[in-house]
Amino acid sequence: MNRRPKHILLVTGMSGAGKSTVLRTLEDLGWETVDNLPLLLLNRLLDTPPGEGADGDDERPLALGIGTQTRGFDAESIVRRIKKLSEDGHHVGTLFLECAGAELERRYSETRRRHPLAQDRPASDGIARERELLMPLRRWSNRLIDTTSLSSNELQQQIRSTFAGDGMGKTVLTITSFGSRPRIAARRRPGLRHAFSAQSALGGVASSRDRTGRRGLGLYRGRSRLWTGDGADRGVAAAAASALSG
């Protein structure tokens, strides 16, 4: 006999208020999440055993995302279904995500998306219609979050602090270390033949000659080149090298 999840959370509310963010955060906390499941399939979902990657127990909570775009949506019918699940021994909660109409309009304008209930009309029309359809669920919900002034990160933090109990949502810290051997790469110009002396490796003057036979000078500290010049500047380079060694 398949064991149904004891803890069920219905996540609903205004489109654009953050339902997807809430479901992703709950999934990170160890919840099983399903979005926009047709209500006729709810019993089949509850009777389906966990997948192979799950622990296989009935303590893993289930979050169901439900909105007006869910097939077969009817707020009154959902309330009756919630009552029936509670009578069957499930711990059922309803989280309603509220948001001011002006803020929802701004979000739809920024993302250039159309409201699901107003494909060919202003977003304000769809928002008003959706608010009316969701009113029974809003009245029934036992938890409400107003996301009008919340950023996505702030909403995630609030969900974590609210639903991370019973050992769920423990922070998992993964530390990855890496290293590489120090490597000094000589930067060469095309056609330039470098001749480092023992002195130049420790710091001093090194000479080089290009293909034309013209001699050049370089002032180095360790492997770092500090100054370059031509053969006529040997006195300047020597004085500088003496100052470095002093």
Side-chain angles (χ1 to χ4, degrees), residues 63-116:
L64 298 174
I66 296 178
T68 54
Q69 65 270 34
T70 301
R71 179 172 296 186
F73 176 83
D74 180 75
E76 296 290 353
S77 175
I78 294 173
V79 170
R80 291 194 297 269
R81 182 66 62 89
I82 295 173
K83 293 179 179 179
K84 181 64 167 60
L85 289 173
S86 299
E87 293 171 358
D88 291 342
H90 298 284
H91 300 287
V92 184
T94 304
L95 170 62
F96 192 94
L97 300 174
E98 182 60 274
C99 188
E103 174 62 16
L104 290 174
E105 290 183 46
R106 186 191 66 81
R107 294 178 185 180
Y108 274 102
S109 177
E110 283 189 352
T111 59
R112 297 184 179 181
R113 296 180 57 196
R114 296 183 181 275
H115 193 280

Short mmCIF file of all heavy atoms in Angstrom, two decimals, residues 63-116:
data_model
loop_
_atom_site.label_atom_id
_atom_site.label_comp_id
_atom_site.label_asym_id
_atom_site.label_seq_id
_atom_site.Cartn_x
_atom_site.Cartn_y
_atom_site.Cartn_z
N ALA A 63 4.52 20.23 -1.71
CA ALA A 63 4.00 21.57 -2.00
C ALA A 63 3.37 21.56 -3.39
O ALA A 63 3.99 21.12 -4.37
CB ALA A 63 5.12 22.61 -1.95
N LEU A 64 2.13 22.02 -3.48
CA LEU A 64 1.39 22.04 -4.74
C LEU A 64 1.14 23.47 -5.15
O LEU A 64 0.52 24.25 -4.41
CB LEU A 64 0.05 21.31 -4.57
CG LEU A 64 0.11 19.82 -4.21
CD1 LEU A 64 -1.29 19.29 -3.94
CD2 LEU A 64 0.78 19.03 -5.33
N GLY A 65 1.64 23.84 -6.34
CA GLY A 65 1.39 25.17 -6.87
C GLY A 65 0.07 25.19 -7.62
O GLY A 65 -0.13 24.43 -8.57
N ILE A 66 -0.85 26.03 -7.21
CA ILE A 66 -2.18 26.11 -7.82
C ILE A 66 -2.49 27.56 -8.14
O ILE A 66 -2.32 28.45 -7.30
CB ILE A 66 -3.26 25.52 -6.89
CG1 ILE A 66 -3.02 24.03 -6.67
CG2 ILE A 66 -4.64 25.76 -7.46
CD1 ILE A 66 -4.01 23.38 -5.72
N GLY A 67 -2.92 27.81 -9.37
CA GLY A 67 -3.29 29.15 -9.77
C GLY A 67 -4.48 29.11 -10.70
O GLY A 67 -5.01 28.05 -11.04
N THR A 68 -4.91 30.27 -11.11
CA THR A 68 -6.08 30.34 -11.98
C THR A 68 -5.84 29.69 -13.33
O THR A 68 -6.80 29.35 -14.03
CB THR A 68 -6.50 31.81 -12.19
OG1 THR A 68 -5.36 32.56 -12.66
CG2 THR A 68 -6.98 32.42 -10.89
N GLN A 69 -4.56 29.52 -13.71
CA GLN A 69 -4.27 28.87 -14.98
C GLN A 69 -4.21 27.35 -14.86
O GLN A 69 -4.03 26.65 -15.85
CB GLN A 69 -2.95 29.40 -15.57
CG GLN A 69 -1.72 29.08 -14.76
CD GLN A 69 -1.41 30.16 -13.74
OE1 GLN A 69 -2.32 30.77 -13.19
NE2 GLN A 69 -0.13 30.40 -13.50
N THR A 70 -4.36 26.83 -13.62
CA THR A 70 -4.40 25.39 -13.43
C THR A 70 -5.66 24.81 -14.06
O THR A 70 -6.76 25.34 -13.87
CB THR A 70 -4.37 25.05 -11.92
OG1 THR A 70 -3.18 25.60 -11.35
CG2 THR A 70 -4.39 23.55 -11.70
N ARG A 71 -5.49 23.73 -14.80
CA ARG A 71 -6.65 23.12 -15.46
C ARG A 71 -7.67 22.65 -14.43
O ARG A 71 -7.34 21.98 -13.46
CB ARG A 71 -6.20 21.94 -16.34
CG ARG A 71 -7.34 21.24 -17.05
CD ARG A 71 -6.83 20.21 -18.03
NE ARG A 71 -6.07 20.83 -19.11
CZ ARG A 71 -5.61 20.16 -20.18
NH1 ARG A 71 -5.85 18.86 -20.29
NH2 ARG A 71 -4.93 20.79 -21.10
N GLY A 72 -8.92 23.01 -14.67
CA GLY A 72 -10.00 22.63 -13.75
C GLY A 72 -10.04 23.49 -12.50
O GLY A 72 -10.64 23.08 -11.50
N PHE A 73 -9.44 24.68 -12.57
CA PHE A 73 -9.42 25.54 -11.37
C PHE A 73 -10.81 26.00 -10.98
O PHE A 73 -11.58 26.51 -11.79
CB PHE A 73 -8.53 26.77 -11.62
CG PHE A 73 -8.53 27.74 -10.47
CD1 PHE A 73 -7.70 27.54 -9.39
CD2 PHE A 73 -9.40 28.83 -10.47
CE1 PHE A 73 -7.71 28.43 -8.31
CE2 PHE A 73 -9.41 29.72 -9.40
CZ PHE A 73 -8.56 29.52 -8.32
N ASP A 74 -11.10 25.78 -9.71
CA ASP A 74 -12.33 26.29 -9.10
C ASP A 74 -12.05 26.44 -7.62
O ASP A 74 -11.83 25.45 -6.92
CB ASP A 74 -13.50 25.34 -9.33
CG ASP A 74 -14.78 25.85 -8.70
OD1 ASP A 74 -15.40 26.78 -9.24
OD2 ASP A 74 -15.14 25.30 -7.63
N ALA A 75 -12.04 27.68 -7.16
CA ALA A 75 -11.61 27.94 -5.79
C ALA A 75 -12.46 27.21 -4.76
O ALA A 75 -11.94 26.64 -3.80
CB ALA A 75 -11.62 29.45 -5.53
N GLU A 76 -13.77 27.22 -4.93
CA GLU A 76 -14.65 26.55 -3.97
C GLU A 76 -14.39 25.05 -3.94
O GLU A 76 -14.39 24.42 -2.88
CB GLU A 76 -16.11 26.84 -4.32
CG GLU A 76 -16.51 28.30 -4.22
CD GLU A 76 -16.56 28.80 -2.78
OE1 GLU A 76 -16.41 27.96 -1.86
OE2 GLU A 76 -16.75 30.01 -2.58
N SER A 77 -14.16 24.47 -5.12
CA SER A 77 -13.86 23.03 -5.18
C SER A 77 -12.54 22.71 -4.48
O SER A 77 -12.41 21.68 -3.81
CB SER A 77 -13.82 22.58 -6.64
OG SER A 77 -13.43 21.23 -6.73
N ILE A 78 -11.56 23.60 -4.62
CA ILE A 78 -10.27 23.38 -3.97
C ILE A 78 -10.42 23.44 -2.45
O ILE A 78 -9.82 22.63 -1.73
CB ILE A 78 -9.26 24.43 -4.45
CG1 ILE A 78 -8.97 24.23 -5.94
CG2 ILE A 78 -7.96 24.35 -3.65
CD1 ILE A 78 -8.11 25.31 -6.55
N VAL A 79 -11.23 24.36 -1.95
CA VAL A 79 -11.45 24.45 -0.51
C VAL A 79 -12.09 23.16 0.00
O VAL A 79 -11.70 22.63 1.06
CB VAL A 79 -12.35 25.67 -0.19
CG1 VAL A 79 -12.78 25.63 1.28
CG2 VAL A 79 -11.61 26.96 -0.49
N ARG A 80 -13.05 22.63 -0.75
CA ARG A 80 -13.67 21.36 -0.34
C ARG A 80 -12.64 20.23 -0.34
O ARG A 80 -12.65 19.36 0.54
CB ARG A 80 -14.85 21.03 -1.26
CG ARG A 80 -16.04 21.96 -1.09
CD ARG A 80 -17.27 21.39 -1.77
NE ARG A 80 -17.08 21.27 -3.23
CZ ARG A 80 -17.40 22.23 -4.10
NH1 ARG A 80 -17.91 23.38 -3.66
NH2 ARG A 80 -17.23 22.05 -5.39
N ARG A 81 -11.75 20.25 -1.34
CA ARG A 81 -10.72 19.21 -1.40
C ARG A 81 -9.75 19.32 -0.23
O ARG A 81 -9.32 18.30 0.33
CB ARG A 81 -9.95 19.35 -2.73
CG ARG A 81 -8.88 18.29 -2.93
CD ARG A 81 -9.48 16.90 -3.08
NE ARG A 81 -10.34 16.83 -4.25
CZ ARG A 81 -9.91 16.50 -5.47
NH1 ARG A 81 -8.65 16.23 -5.66
NH2 ARG A 81 -10.75 16.41 -6.47
N ILE A 82 -9.45 20.53 0.17
CA ILE A 82 -8.57 20.73 1.32
C ILE A 82 -9.20 20.17 2.60
O ILE A 82 -8.56 19.49 3.41
CB ILE A 82 -8.24 22.24 1.49
CG1 ILE A 82 -7.43 22.75 0.30
CG2 ILE A 82 -7.46 22.47 2.79
CD1 ILE A 82 -7.22 24.24 0.31
N LYS A 83 -10.48 20.44 2.75
CA LYS A 83 -11.19 19.93 3.93
C LYS A 83 -11.19 18.41 3.95
O LYS A 83 -10.99 17.78 5.00
CB LYS A 83 -12.63 20.45 3.94
CG LYS A 83 -12.76 21.96 4.15
CD LYS A 83 -14.22 22.38 4.12
CE LYS A 83 -14.39 23.86 4.36
NZ LYS A 83 -15.80 24.30 4.31
N LYS A 84 -11.39 17.81 2.78
CA LYS A 84 -11.41 16.35 2.70
C LYS A 84 -10.04 15.75 3.03
O LYS A 84 -9.94 14.74 3.74
CB LYS A 84 -11.82 15.92 1.28
CG LYS A 84 -11.90 14.41 1.08
CD LYS A 84 -12.98 13.80 1.96
CE LYS A 84 -13.30 12.37 1.55
NZ LYS A 84 -12.13 11.48 1.66
N LEU A 85 -8.96 16.38 2.55
CA LEU A 85 -7.62 15.90 2.86
C LEU A 85 -7.35 16.01 4.36
O LEU A 85 -6.71 15.12 4.95
CB LEU A 85 -6.58 16.72 2.09
CG LEU A 85 -6.51 16.47 0.57
CD1 LEU A 85 -5.57 17.47 -0.09
CD2 LEU A 85 -6.07 15.04 0.27
N SER A 86 -7.83 17.05 4.98
CA SER A 86 -7.64 17.21 6.42
C SER A 86 -8.39 16.13 7.19
O SER A 86 -7.89 15.58 8.18
CB SER A 86 -8.13 18.60 6.86
OG SER A 86 -7.39 19.63 6.22
N GLU A 87 -9.57 15.80 6.72
CA GLU A 87 -10.36 14.75 7.36
C GLU A 87 -9.68 13.39 7.22
O GLU A 87 -9.87 12.51 8.07
CB GLU A 87 -11.77 14.70 6.76
CG GLU A 87 -12.61 15.94 7.07
CD GLU A 87 -13.90 15.95 6.29
OE1 GLU A 87 -14.12 15.01 5.48
OE2 GLU A 87 -14.71 16.89 6.47
N ASP A 88 -8.90 13.21 6.14
CA ASP A 88 -8.21 11.94 5.91
C ASP A 88 -6.91 11.83 6.69
O ASP A 88 -6.18 10.84 6.55
CB ASP A 88 -7.92 11.77 4.41
CG ASP A 88 -9.18 11.56 3.60
OD1 ASP A 88 -10.22 11.21 4.20
OD2 ASP A 88 -9.15 11.78 2.37
N GLY A 89 -6.59 12.83 7.48
CA GLY A 89 -5.41 12.74 8.33
C GLY A 89 -4.20 13.51 7.84
O GLY A 89 -3.12 13.43 8.46
N HIS A 90 -4.34 14.23 6.75
CA HIS A 90 -3.22 15.03 6.25
C HIS A 90 -3.16 16.37 6.98
O HIS A 90 -4.20 16.93 7.36
CB HIS A 90 -3.37 15.29 4.75
CG HIS A 90 -3.36 14.05 3.91
ND1 HIS A 90 -2.22 13.36 3.62
CD2 HIS A 90 -4.38 13.37 3.30
CE1 HIS A 90 -2.50 12.32 2.85
NE2 HIS A 90 -3.82 12.30 2.66
N HIS A 91 -1.95 16.87 7.15
CA HIS A 91 -1.75 18.22 7.66
C HIS A 91 -1.65 19.14 6.45
O HIS A 91 -0.63 19.19 5.77
CB HIS A 91 -0.49 18.30 8.52
CG HIS A 91 -0.52 17.38 9.71
ND1 HIS A 91 -1.29 17.62 10.81
CD2 HIS A 91 0.14 16.21 9.94
CE1 HIS A 91 -1.11 16.66 11.70
NE2 HIS A 91 -0.25 15.78 11.19
N VAL A 92 -2.74 19.86 6.18
CA VAL A 92 -2.81 20.66 4.96
C VAL A 92 -2.78 22.14 5.33
O VAL A 92 -3.53 22.60 6.19
CB VAL A 92 -4.10 20.36 4.17
CG1 VAL A 92 -4.11 21.14 2.86
CG2 VAL A 92 -4.22 18.87 3.89
N GLY A 93 -1.89 22.87 4.68
CA GLY A 93 -1.81 24.31 4.85
C GLY A 93 -1.96 25.01 3.51
O GLY A 93 -1.73 24.40 2.45
N THR A 94 -2.36 26.26 3.55
CA THR A 94 -2.52 27.04 2.32
C THR A 94 -1.75 28.35 2.46
O THR A 94 -2.03 29.13 3.38
CB THR A 94 -3.99 27.34 2.02
OG1 THR A 94 -4.72 26.11 1.95
CG2 THR A 94 -4.13 28.08 0.71
N LEU A 95 -0.80 28.54 1.58
CA LEU A 95 -0.02 29.78 1.55
C LEU A 95 -0.53 30.64 0.39
O LEU A 95 -0.51 30.21 -0.76
CB LEU A 95 1.47 29.49 1.36
CG LEU A 95 2.37 30.69 1.06
CD1 LEU A 95 2.36 31.68 2.22
CD2 LEU A 95 3.79 30.23 0.74
N PHE A 96 -0.99 31.84 0.72
CA PHE A 96 -1.49 32.74 -0.31
C PHE A 96 -0.51 33.89 -0.48
O PHE A 96 -0.13 34.56 0.49
CB PHE A 96 -2.87 33.29 0.08
CG PHE A 96 -3.57 34.01 -1.04
CD1 PHE A 96 -4.47 33.33 -1.86
CD2 PHE A 96 -3.33 35.35 -1.30
CE1 PHE A 96 -5.12 33.98 -2.90
CE2 PHE A 96 -3.97 36.01 -2.34
CZ PHE A 96 -4.87 35.33 -3.14
N LEU A 97 -0.09 34.11 -1.74
CA LEU A 97 0.83 35.18 -2.07
C LEU A 97 0.06 36.38 -2.60
O LEU A 97 -0.55 36.31 -3.67
CB LEU A 97 1.86 34.70 -3.11
CG LEU A 97 2.72 33.51 -2.67
CD1 LEU A 97 3.58 33.02 -3.83
CD2 LEU A 97 3.58 33.87 -1.47
N GLU A 98 0.08 37.46 -1.84
CA GLU A 98 -0.63 38.67 -2.20
C GLU A 98 0.36 39.69 -2.76
O GLU A 98 1.56 39.64 -2.50
CB GLU A 98 -1.34 39.24 -0.95
CG GLU A 98 -2.17 40.48 -1.19
CD GLU A 98 -3.28 40.26 -2.20
OE1 GLU A 98 -2.98 40.41 -3.40
OE2 GLU A 98 -4.40 39.94 -1.79
N CYS A 99 -0.16 40.61 -3.57
CA CYS A 99 0.67 41.68 -4.11
C CYS A 99 -0.25 42.79 -4.61
O CYS A 99 -1.32 42.52 -5.16
CB CYS A 99 1.56 41.16 -5.25
SG CYS A 99 2.78 42.37 -5.83
N ALA A 100 0.18 44.03 -4.42
CA ALA A 100 -0.63 45.16 -4.86
C ALA A 100 -0.74 45.20 -6.37
O ALA A 100 0.19 44.82 -7.09
CB ALA A 100 -0.01 46.47 -4.34
N GLY A 101 -1.89 45.65 -6.85
CA GLY A 101 -2.12 45.68 -8.29
C GLY A 101 -1.12 46.51 -9.05
O GLY A 101 -0.65 46.11 -10.13
N ALA A 102 -0.75 47.68 -8.53
CA ALA A 102 0.20 48.55 -9.23
C ALA A 102 1.56 47.88 -9.36
O ALA A 102 2.23 48.00 -10.40
CB ALA A 102 0.34 49.87 -8.48
N GLU A 103 1.98 47.16 -8.32
CA GLU A 103 3.27 46.46 -8.39
C GLU A 103 3.21 45.30 -9.39
O GLU A 103 4.18 45.06 -10.13
CB GLU A 103 3.65 45.94 -7.00
CG GLU A 103 4.90 45.07 -6.95
CD GLU A 103 6.16 45.79 -7.39
OE1 GLU A 103 6.16 47.04 -7.45
OE2 GLU A 103 7.14 45.09 -7.70
N LEU A 104 2.10 44.59 -9.43
CA LEU A 104 1.95 43.51 -10.41
C LEU A 104 2.00 44.06 -11.83
O LEU A 104 2.64 43.47 -12.72
CB LEU A 104 0.64 42.76 -10.18
CG LEU A 104 0.56 41.90 -8.91
CD1 LEU A 104 -0.84 41.33 -8.74
CD2 LEU A 104 1.59 40.78 -8.97
N GLU A 105 1.35 45.19 -12.06
CA GLU A 105 1.40 45.81 -13.39
C GLU A 105 2.83 46.19 -13.75
O GLU A 105 3.26 46.01 -14.90
CB GLU A 105 0.50 47.05 -13.41
CG GLU A 105 -0.99 46.75 -13.34
CD GLU A 105 -1.83 48.01 -13.45
OE1 GLU A 105 -1.54 48.84 -14.34
OE2 GLU A 105 -2.77 48.18 -12.64
N ARG A 106 3.58 46.70 -12.79
CA ARG A 106 4.96 47.07 -13.06
C ARG A 106 5.80 45.84 -13.43
O ARG A 106 6.61 45.88 -14.36
CB ARG A 106 5.57 47.76 -11.84
CG ARG A 106 6.98 48.31 -12.07
CD ARG A 106 7.62 48.73 -10.76
NE ARG A 106 7.86 47.60 -9.89
CZ ARG A 106 8.91 46.79 -10.02
NH1 ARG A 106 9.79 46.98 -11.00
NH2 ARG A 106 9.08 45.77 -9.19
N ARG A 107 5.59 44.73 -12.71
CA ARG A 107 6.35 43.52 -12.98
C ARG A 107 6.03 42.96 -14.36
O ARG A 107 6.93 42.52 -15.09
CB ARG A 107 6.06 42.47 -11.90
CG ARG A 107 6.56 42.87 -10.52
CD ARG A 107 6.21 41.83 -9.46
NE ARG A 107 6.58 42.29 -8.13
CZ ARG A 107 6.39 41.58 -7.01
NH1 ARG A 107 5.81 40.37 -7.08
NH2 ARG A 107 6.76 42.06 -5.84
N TYR A 108 4.75 42.97 -14.72
CA TYR A 108 4.38 42.49 -16.06
C TYR A 108 4.95 43.40 -17.13
O TYR A 108 5.35 42.96 -18.21
CB TYR A 108 2.86 42.38 -16.19
CG TYR A 108 2.31 41.07 -15.69
CD1 TYR A 108 1.70 40.98 -14.44
CD2 TYR A 108 2.42 39.91 -16.45
CE1 TYR A 108 1.21 39.77 -13.98
CE2 TYR A 108 1.94 38.71 -15.99
CZ TYR A 108 1.33 38.63 -14.75
OH TYR A 108 0.86 37.43 -14.29
N SER A 109 4.99 44.70 -16.87
CA SER A 109 5.54 45.64 -17.84
C SER A 109 7.04 45.43 -18.02
O SER A 109 7.55 45.47 -19.14
CB SER A 109 5.27 47.08 -17.38
OG SER A 109 5.85 48.01 -18.27
N GLU A 110 7.75 45.17 -16.92
CA GLU A 110 9.20 44.98 -17.00
C GLU A 110 9.55 43.70 -17.76
O GLU A 110 10.51 43.67 -18.52
CB GLU A 110 9.80 44.94 -15.59
CG GLU A 110 9.93 46.30 -14.94
CD GLU A 110 10.72 46.23 -13.66
OE1 GLU A 110 11.03 45.10 -13.20
OE2 GLU A 110 11.04 47.30 -13.10
N THR A 111 8.80 42.63 -17.50
CA THR A 111 9.09 41.35 -18.16
C THR A 111 8.45 41.24 -19.54
O THR A 111 8.73 40.29 -20.27
CB THR A 111 8.61 40.18 -17.29
OG1 THR A 111 7.19 40.31 -17.07
CG2 THR A 111 9.31 40.19 -15.94
N ARG A 112 7.59 42.20 -19.87
CA ARG A 112 6.89 42.21 -21.17
C ARG A 112 6.08 40.94 -21.39
O ARG A 112 5.98 40.42 -22.51
CB ARG A 112 7.89 42.41 -22.32
CG ARG A 112 8.61 43.75 -22.25
CD ARG A 112 9.51 43.96 -23.46
NE ARG A 112 10.17 45.26 -23.39
CZ ARG A 112 11.00 45.73 -24.31
NH1 ARG A 112 11.27 44.99 -25.38
NH2 ARG A 112 11.54 46.91 -24.18
N ARG A 113 5.54 40.43 -20.32
CA ARG A 113 4.66 39.26 -20.40
C ARG A 113 3.22 39.70 -20.29
O ARG A 113 2.91 40.73 -19.68
CB ARG A 113 5.00 38.27 -19.27
CG ARG A 113 6.38 37.67 -19.34
CD ARG A 113 6.60 36.72 -18.18
NE ARG A 113 5.60 35.67 -18.14
CZ ARG A 113 5.37 34.89 -17.08
NH1 ARG A 113 6.06 35.07 -15.98
NH2 ARG A 113 4.44 33.97 -17.13
N ARG A 114 2.34 38.89 -20.86
CA ARG A 114 0.92 39.17 -20.77
C ARG A 114 0.32 38.42 -19.58
O ARG A 114 0.74 37.32 -19.25
CB ARG A 114 0.21 38.75 -22.06
CG ARG A 114 0.65 39.54 -23.28
CD ARG A 114 -0.15 39.13 -24.50
NE ARG A 114 0.27 39.86 -25.69
CZ ARG A 114 -0.18 41.05 -26.03
NH1 ARG A 114 -1.07 41.65 -25.26
NH2 ARG A 114 0.25 41.66 -27.11
N HIS A 115 -0.66 39.04 -18.97
CA HIS A 115 -1.32 38.37 -17.85
C HIS A 115 -2.11 37.19 -18.38
O HIS A 115 -2.77 37.29 -19.43
CB HIS A 115 -2.25 39.35 -17.13
CG HIS A 115 -2.72 38.86 -15.81
ND1 HIS A 115 -3.76 37.94 -15.68
CD2 HIS A 115 -2.29 39.13 -14.55
CE1 HIS A 115 -3.95 37.69 -14.40
NE2 HIS A 115 -3.09 38.39 -13.69
N PRO A 116 -2.08 36.03 -17.70
CA PRO A 116 -2.77 34.84 -18.21
C PRO A 116 -4.27 35.02 -18.40
O PRO A 116 -4.88 34.30 -19.19
CB PRO A 116 -2.46 33.76 -17.16
CG PRO A 116 -2.00 34.50 -15.95
CD PRO A 116 -1.34 35.74 -16.45
#
